[in-house]
């Protein structure tokens, strides 16, 4: 079983920045990617960004392109989400997803999810 732990959430003013971290551990991973999702109150969980372990592929939701950057540390089974120019609409619980699949055409979620970390952006 894969365990996933996120950290780095918090409260920030609009225009500020936060960096989220995610570490995965456990059995040998079958997927080739990790990703970030978020869920705002009353809304469905939505895709934010993903990166392949090789670092050659990444994907972003249109709403965060140009503001968020995902990176990974393959040796530590970790991924990071640098969030800049944050907006109140970015307020959500952010979840890390491991053991996922990323191709040039789609991202397929893995079964491993973290507990989530709260990001709150004040106006």
């Amino acid at each position: 079983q894969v365990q996933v732990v996120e950290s780095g959430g918090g409260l920030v003013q609009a225009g500020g920045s936060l960096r989220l971290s995610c570490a995965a551990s456990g059995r040998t991973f079958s997927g080739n990617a990790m990703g970030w999702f978020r869920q705002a109150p009353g809304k469905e969980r939505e895709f934010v960004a993903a990166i392949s372990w090789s670092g050659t592929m990444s994907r972003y939701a249109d709403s965060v392109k140009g503001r968020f950057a995902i990176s990974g540390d393959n040796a530590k089974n970790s991924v990071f989400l640098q969030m800049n120019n944050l907006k109140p609409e970015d307020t959500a619980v952010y979840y890390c997803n491991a053991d996922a699949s990323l191709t040039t055409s789609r991202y397929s979620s893995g079964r491993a999810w973290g507990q989530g970390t709260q990001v709150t952006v004040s106006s």
Side-chain angles (χ1 to χ4, degrees), residues 17-38:
S17 299
L18 282 174
R19 179 177 168 88
L20 304 184
S21 300
C22 171
S25 62
R27 63 167 175 80
T28 302
F29 304 114
S30 59
N32 74 329
M34 290 181 69
W36 288 95
F37 285 69
R38 67 186 181 186

Side-chain angles (χ1 to χ4, degrees), residues 43-91:
K43 295 187 177 181
E44 294 185 354
R45 189 173 297 189
E46 64 175 3
F47 172 79
V48 175
I51 188 168
S52 62
W53 282 122
S54 66
T56 58
M57 288 188 291
S58 62
R59 176 164 293 180
Y60 296 90
D62 289 342
S63 59
V64 306
K65 283 181 181 177
R67 299 188 299 121
F68 291 12
I70 189 170
S71 60
D73 185 337
N74 198 1
K76 297 182 179 180
N77 293 331
S78 297
V79 291
F80 311 95
L81 187 66
Q82 178 66 42
M83 305 184 295
N84 300 323
N85 190 22
L86 283 160
K87 303 176 181 180
E89 51 263 44
D90 294 318
T91 295

